[in-house]
Amino acid sequence: MSFWLPLVLSLPAPNCTGMLGAHCDRCGEGPGMDFRVLGTLEIWTEQGRLMLPGARHQRVLAALLLAPNSVVPLSKLIEATWDDEPPATATKQVQNCVSTLRERLGDPDQRLIVTDGPGYRITVGEDQLDVLRFTHRIADARRFAAEGALREGVREIRSALELWRGPALDGLGTAVLAGRAARLDEQRLNALELCLDWQLALGEYREVVDELAEVVSEHPLRERPHTQLMLALDRGGRQADALNVFHRLRVRLAEELGVDPGADVRQLHERILRGEPHSDGAVPSTPELAAERAPDELDRAAKELAAAIARQWTAEAEMRSLNRPEPVPLTWSSTTKQVAAVASAVLGERPGDGSDRLVLSGDLADVVAKFRQVPTRQLVVLGEPGAGKTVLAILLTLGLLADAPPGEPVPVLLPLASWNPRQEHLHGWLARKLVEEYPGLANTAAYGKDAALRLVLEGRIIPVLDGLDETPPGFHAAAIDALDQAVAGGRPLVLTCRSAEYELAVNQAGSFLARAAVVEIEPVELEDAIDFLTGRQRVGDNRWQPVVQRLRQEPDGVLAQALRTPLMVDLARTAYAHPATSPGELCDTTRFPDSVVIEGHLLDAYLPAVYLRRPAPPARLDRPARARDYDAEQAERWLSFLARQLERGSTRDLAWWQLDRAVPRIVIGLYLSLPSAVLYALTGWLAAGPAIGAIYGMSFAVAGCVTHSVGHRPGPLRVEARFRRTAGRFGRRFAAGVVIGVCLGLGWSLSAGVIGLLAVVFGLAIGVHVWLDTPLDANRVSSPATVLSNDRAATLSFTLSFMVSLGLFYGMALALTPEAAAAEVFDGRFDLELGLAGGLASALLGRYLVRNPGSVAYGLAGAVIGGLILPPAASPALAVVAGVGFGLAVGLTVCLARAWGAFAITRLWLASRGRIPLEFMGFLDDAHRRGVLRQVGAVYQFRHARLQERLAVRGNIDPQA
């Protein structure tokens, strides 16, 4: 069997960490593994070609590659594997296929094909899959055309088309994959037609005739390439041939479909008959007209943002097992609390018409339809803790995206906890959060300037704001008033909040959303709770029977009261999922006298249940596995520590770059400043003896300790390597680096040749930073792992550039600076001019690191060591060693001042004290997969505030926590 799929997956060599394109940019070698689905599926490694056993494995792999980095449920893999009725053992066969694929691909750690919730996910980078490269290159081509650069657009779109080497998915044969193949082929044909449009606009008529004739032959009923071929022939002086193309098209359409050609083709035919000299048809004649045809920047931003949000929250819904098989049944209705506007205001009617109270009710299945029925599209969702407000917000967001009518704004689900309504307008906060969560929106070349802010101000998004109650209590009333002002013009809004907090804020300040429908989630129905608890019960398993009997006998009893929220019902099923547990113990009124005790017990039993040790499956026993298996008590201790820190900070966001808030400020200052201070001291010792070394070390130890204890370092950078269209900015930054190098060289009286070398080195060191730019498009969603990876790359880049430039400068200054000084003081031991130059250079470095405290503290330290008059180096070797030492010290200073560097040291510090595991990010990712944490953009949160609060209390009680 042979088939072709436009997907090429390239993995780096085993001992390499970098990969760009076909060859590694770090080791210079080709791909360590290359998936080629060109004809017969081929997998190449450095040792040669690997073979797959059969078509079933090819189909499973193809289905995974068609949804890169997304979970493909087992049901979808089964559909892609069997065209007719799947066998009874289909699930087991797909699992065996995945196991075989992992074995053939050398993936024992399951990092390539990951078991993820209800299915599997294949992890690939943006540059590892050519269907993604195809999409990105088409987007780049459109941007070139929008700027009037049609030739660059043609070049880019041709490079995208070169990735295609045949019909998509040729020979696989299943209906599911055939449908995907048709969509991919349509994308290719659309891209080709767009490219030919641009070539015609550039006057390349004769160059495209043969290609257009081939396209017309392959697609005899497709009108657009016929129009293009007619125009090319007409402009090439072949009017008769152009008229024949129209005649053949008209005959085919009439014979096969019984229709006439469309208006564009007919109009072009008439122009050719009349002999009009400038008959463009539907094709732009100038780059300016082509730019007008390019998609609107903001439309494209909204479209790609919608795709990213759908992918993000679909994955999160699967991670939370909301469809396993379905969430706890949830109903809602208009609130009876005095917190809502009258019905006439919500419905846009005259005051006094109809009832004062709005009547609205529904469940999860119809929440989208009911929301769209509200004229203002403004909805407030209230509920008790654990009532399911966030679940409703997620499903509402996904539902709105699933069948969005043309022109409907994009729903954006954001936690509200970080908004301070007294310091930041809602629109400004929304724009900032959009850029943080979807950093591609900051790409001005793709979407124009301030795309996120324009999306907000032009009403192109529906803010779905989750958790007003998670903002500080003093902000609740101000937030409600600010929200009402922001949406007063009829903008859509969804807001969730705990009922008591919302009612208190409205009653205290009198502010409320004047045109919003306010609904409240109702307690879980008794039978719905029973159905959910017993929904995954095996034949003969009667463990839940005592609970069922108690609930039906005492519908108002303490057990029924405890299980009135989806959170507690879900916790109960999770806590007693193992066959060895006995849910009947919940009926013991002596042990559980009231609902509060039952709820506490279920919260406490949750972690032991989800961290229950399970043996590895047999298929993996023959080879080493790296599956994380944490002890429940140990995991609870670590999570309690984190929960306690979040409670102290009054936040729900568990951000890796804020981990140092769990450490006293003075301790942070010490462990972030002392490592580099030791290197400075060793450098000074090498350069001029122990006394100078002590001055070096103490100066930078004090500067670093003050800076990191008092200042606040910048957050992580969301960047990626980009080189296209950076020449202008690189030139400007290179010039700034040249100026710095020249000033330092003149300050230390170096020769002209050395100053020139320093100028080039500093120019390069500062200029290369422009290659770290915002991501290419809004399709990318921030995650803790991606933000960590991006900031690590930026940190290492900054570290290397400062290390090389300042290390080279120090070594040269030590070897080549004349002994004569211009402004000696302290018996010739200190030069004021050198001290001023060193202070200014260090102040600039400190300002780059930690702004104001850094500029002052490091400026003083630089002045102290810069003004010291040192004897010339005894030998070139000593100057080189001292330069290397100084460069390492500066590099370490820069590294530890960035988010990733500080996190790396903080992680080691807390792990050494048993507060967190050494593999901290891996632990958090594992907790997310187990359902303990939820992922909201670049941060994690506990799955529910009540779990965080409970763990924080237990952590305060536990003496080891």
Side-chain angles (χ1 to χ4, degrees):
M1 176 180 296
S2 65
F3 64 95
W4 189 91
L5 173 68
L7 305 165
V8 177
L9 174 63
S10 301
L11 301 178
N15 297 322
C16 177
T17 58
M19 176 62 61
L20 285 175
H23 287 80
C24 178
D25 65 329
R26 299 185 183 178
C27 69
E29 299 294 333
M33 183 176 294
D34 187 25
F35 284 65
R36 301 177 184 175
V37 193
L38 311 174
T40 303
L41 177 63
E42 296 178 357
I43 307 173
W44 290 87
T45 69
E46 293 175 337
Q47 290 74 35
R49 179 178 174 182
L50 289 177
M51 300 297 296
L52 288 181
R56 189 179 305 140
H57 298 78
Q58 296 172 352
R59 291 168 178 167
V60 170
L61 182 58
L64 291 173
L65 289 172
L66 285 170
N69 303 309
S70 298
V71 177
V72 182
L74 268 172
S75 59
K76 297 297 183 183
L77 293 175
I78 292 173
E79 291 177 9
T81 307
W82 286 275
D83 208 1
D84 50 6
E85 188 69 23
T89 60
T91 298
K92 184 61 177 178
Q93 290 190 46
V94 169
Q95 292 171 341
N96 290 338
C97 285
V98 172
S99 179
T100 301
L101 287 172
R102 287 169 172 164
E103 183 178 355
R104 294 297 178 92
L105 303 179
D107 185 29
D109 297 342
Q110 300 185 15
R111 292 186 175 182
L112 178 58
I113 302 179
V114 181
T115 302
D116 201 339
Y120 299 96
R121 168 171 50 87
I122 191 166
T123 56
V124 295
E126 297 288 351
D127 295 322
Q128 294 176 282
L129 197 61
D130 68 348
V131 72
L132 297 179
R133 294 200 298 272
F134 173 78
T135 302
H136 291 153
R137 290 180 186 179
I138 296 299
D140 287 343
R142 290 182 181 277
R143 284 193 286 273
F144 281 127
E147 297 168 359
L150 279 191
R151 293 194 184 279
E152 289 78 3
V154 169
R155 188 181 305 116
E156 191 68 21
I157 211 168
R158 285 292 178 185
S159 71
L161 292 168
E162 288 174 0
L163 297 171
W164 288 73
R165 306 171 190 177
L169 302 175
D170 186 19
L172 282 183
T174 64
V176 171
L177 295 179
R180 294 297 305 275
R183 289 195 292 273
L184 288 170
D185 286 332
E186 181 68 19
Q187 291 176 15
R188 174 184 179 274
L189 190 55
N190 288 336
L192 177 59
E193 291 172 346
L194 182 63
C195 179
L196 294 170
D197 272 350
W198 293 345
Q199 289 185 262
L200 290 171
L202 291 169
E204 299 177 358
Y205 310 118
R206 293 181 175 85
E207 290 85 346
V208 300
V209 165
D210 291 340
E211 187 173 14
L212 278 168
E214 184 177 350
V215 175
V216 164
S217 176
E218 294 175 354
H219 305 276
L221 301 179
R222 195 175 178 98
E223 295 190 14
R224 187 177 179 188
H226 282 81
T227 306
Q228 293 171 321
L229 180 57
M230 290 168 61
L231 180 63
L233 291 170
D234 175 44
R235 291 296 185 86
R238 300 168 58 183
Q239 286 77 17
D241 291 335
L243 295 174
N244 282 333
V245 170
F246 175 80
H247 174 71
R248 289 194 297 269
L249 173 63
R250 182 174 59 184
V251 170
R252 289 193 191 99
L253 289 175
E255 292 179 348
E256 299 188 27
L257 302 179
V259 298
D260 291 328
D264 289 341
V265 187
R266 294 198 310 270
Q267 290 172 8
L268 179 58
H269 177 246
E270 293 171 1
R271 293 191 185 105
I272 296 174
L273 286 174
R274 291 194 298 266
E276 293 184 2
H278 299 292
S279 53
D280 294 334
V283 183
S285 59
T286 64
E288 290 74 18
L289 288 176
E292 291 178 3
R293 286 176 165 264
D296 179 75
E297 292 174 338
L298 212 57
D299 287 339
R300 186 166 61 249
K303 181 179 179 181
E304 295 180 1
L305 175 64
I309 293 170
R311 188 170 62 251
Q312 172 190 9
W313 291 108
T314 298
E316 189 64 20
E318 292 170 347
M319 194 70 68
R320 299 185 189 199
S321 299
L322 295 185
N323 300 311
R324 195 184 177 190
E326 59 185 14
V328 180
L330 182 153
T331 58
W332 49 268
S333 61
S334 298
T335 183
T336 59
K337 295 180 171 61
Q338 305 300 313
V339 295
V342 296
S344 59
V346 178
L347 299 176
E349 300 173 348
R350 291 185 303 173
D353 290 349
S355 172
D356 284 346
R357 189 176 300 280
L358 180 68
V359 179
L360 195 65
S361 63
D363 54 25
L364 289 177
D366 63 356
V367 64
V368 173
K370 296 295 177 64
F371 173 73
R372 286 176 173 153
Q373 290 175 8
V374 178
T376 58
R377 303 284 180 92
Q378 295 178 13
L379 178 68
V380 178
V381 180
L382 306 180
E384 299 303 314
K389 299 181 293 296
T390 299
V391 169
L392 186 145
I394 292 174
L395 297 181
L396 173 60
T397 299
L398 292 174
L400 290 171
L401 290 169
D403 62 344
E408 181 173 84
V410 179
V412 182
L413 175 54
L414 295 169
L416 200 56
S418 63
W419 180 40
N420 184 340
R422 294 174 180 168
Q423 296 182 356
E424 194 170 14
H425 191 277
L426 176 68
H427 293 162
W429 177 81
L430 285 172
R432 178 171 61 83
K433 292 297 291 184
L434 280 175
V435 173
E436 289 179 1
E437 303 300 326
Y438 312 97
L441 289 174
N443 186 354
T444 56
Y447 310 114
K449 186 178 180 181
D450 297 325
L453 183 59
R454 286 187 291 134
L455 285 172
V456 174
L457 295 180
E458 294 182 20
R460 305 291 291 273
I461 68 167
I462 302 175
V464 182
L465 306 179
D466 185 30
L468 174 65
D469 52 276
E470 294 180 359
T471 61
F475 292 168
H476 292 173
I480 294 172
D481 185 60
L483 287 168
D484 187 53
Q485 292 182 19
V487 300
R491 293 175 179 268
L493 172 73
V494 179
L495 176 69
T496 74
C497 185
R498 291 183 178 181
S499 302
E501 281 81 348
Y502 192 82
E503 184 177 21
L504 178 63
V506 170
N507 291 336
Q508 282 184 339
S511 299
F512 66 101
L513 294 176
R515 299 188 63 190
V518 182
V519 300
E520 195 163 8
I521 298 177
E522 299 172 344
V524 177
E525 294 289 340
L526 193 63
E527 291 301 321
D528 288 337
I530 292 173
D531 291 343
F532 187 84
L533 292 173
T534 60
R536 301 184 66 195
Q537 189 170 275
R538 293 178 293 110
V539 176
D541 182 4
N542 298 318
R543 294 180 303 119
W544 285 101
Q545 194 59 33
V547 173
V548 172
Q549 292 177 354
R550 176 60 61 88
L551 290 175
R552 287 174 173 161
Q553 291 172 0
E554 301 179 12
D556 296 322
V558 295
L559 183 56
Q561 293 175 16
L563 298 179
R564 70 186 186 277
T565 63
L567 173 65
M568 288 301 157
V569 176
D570 184 66
L571 289 179
R573 190 170 79 171
T574 302
Y576 293 101
H578 195 273
T581 58
S582 175
E585 66 183 11
L586 295 174
C587 302
D588 185 351
T589 55
T590 302
R591 183 179 174 189
F592 303 108
D594 55 45
S595 61
V596 174
V597 177
I598 295 177
E599 292 175 4
H601 166 73
L602 293 177
L603 288 167
D604 294 341
Y606 176 65
L607 289 185
V610 297
Y611 281 98
L612 184 68
R613 290 182 181 271
R614 294 181 174 88
R620 295 174 52 199
L621 293 178
D622 58 341
R623 51 194 170 91
R626 196 170 175 266
R628 296 182 174 93
D629 193 7
Y630 297 102
D631 178 76
E633 292 184 4
Q634 188 180 51
E636 181 174 347
R637 186 165 62 251
W638 292 332
L639 291 167
S640 296
F641 171 77
L642 296 173
R644 190 167 67 251
Q645 302 310 315
L646 295 181
E647 286 293 307
R648 288 176 178 173
S650 299
T651 182
R652 301 297 183 202
D653 294 344
L654 180 53
W656 60 262
W657 61 90
Q658 295 174 351
L659 185 64
D660 58 3
R661 295 183 180 181
V663 182
R665 300 294 296 178
I666 186 62
V667 176
I668 297 172
L670 289 173
Y671 67 59
L672 292 182
S673 62
L674 290 182
S676 54
V678 171
L679 286 177
Y680 283 117
L682 291 175
T683 301
W685 193 326
L686 285 172
I692 297 298
I695 295 174
Y696 272 45
M698 287 299 297
S699 298
F700 280 101
V702 172
C705 190
V706 170
T707 297
H708 295 295
S709 298
V710 178
H712 297 281
R713 77 183 60 82
L717 294 176
R718 294 164 170 83
V719 295
E720 64 180 16
R722 283 178 55 196
F723 304 98
R724 178 174 295 151
R725 287 181 285 183
T726 59
R729 289 184 295 136
F730 177 84
R732 291 190 293 271
R733 293 183 70 105
F734 182 87
V738 167
V739 171
I740 294 175
V742 170
C743 291
L744 288 174
L746 292 175
W748 267 263
S749 303
L750 301 177
S751 65
V754 174
I755 292 175
L757 176 61
L758 285 176
V760 172
V761 171
F762 273 85
L764 290 174
I766 294 178
V768 296
H769 295 170
V770 304
W771 294 336
L772 292 173
D773 208 341
T774 55
L776 285 174
D777 54 59
N779 267 315
R780 317 211 181 164
V781 182
S782 290
S783 70
T786 58
V787 173
L788 178 68
S789 176
N790 291 343
D791 192 67
R792 178 173 57 224
T795 297
L796 294 178
S797 172
F798 296 152
T799 298
L800 182 63
S801 61
F802 279 105
M803 182 175 67
V804 171
S805 57
L806 291 177
L808 178 65
F809 162 73
Y810 186 85
M812 288 185 171
L814 191 63
L816 303 176
T817 300
E819 294 188 39
E824 295 182 1
V825 293
F826 299 121
D827 297 328
R829 292 191 293 271
F830 193 87
D831 187 309
L832 291 177
E833 290 187 1
L834 293 182
L836 179 61
L840 289 175
S842 295
L844 290 174
L845 174 63
R847 180 170 178 78
Y848 165 78
L849 298 178
V850 192
R851 291 267 173 198
N852 293 330
S855 60
V856 174
Y858 280 104
L860 292 175
V864 171
I865 70 164
L868 292 174
I869 298 177
L870 307 180
S875 66
L878 179 61
V880 170
V881 172
V884 170
F886 191 80
L888 290 174
V890 172
L892 190 58
T893 301
V894 172
C895 180
L896 296 184
R898 304 302 305 178
W900 174 76
F903 163 74
I905 298 297
T906 301
R907 175 175 62 91
L908 293 176
W909 172 262
L910 291 175
S912 67
R913 305 190 67 201
R915 303 303 196 204
I916 63 172
L918 186 59
E919 294 186 2
F920 179 65
M921 296 302 292
F923 172 72
L924 296 184
D925 181 66
D926 178 78
H928 177 221
R929 297 183 188 283
R930 294 176 189 265
V932 179
L933 301 177
R934 62 189 185 190
Q935 182 179 310
V936 183
V939 302
Y940 289 111
Q941 295 177 344
F942 281 91
R943 65 167 292 179
H944 196 274
R946 292 200 61 185
L947 180 60
Q948 175 180 317
E949 294 161 0
R950 184 74 178 185
L951 286 172
V953 172
R954 290 175 62 83
N956 284 324
I957 296 173
D958 186 355
Q960 295 182 348

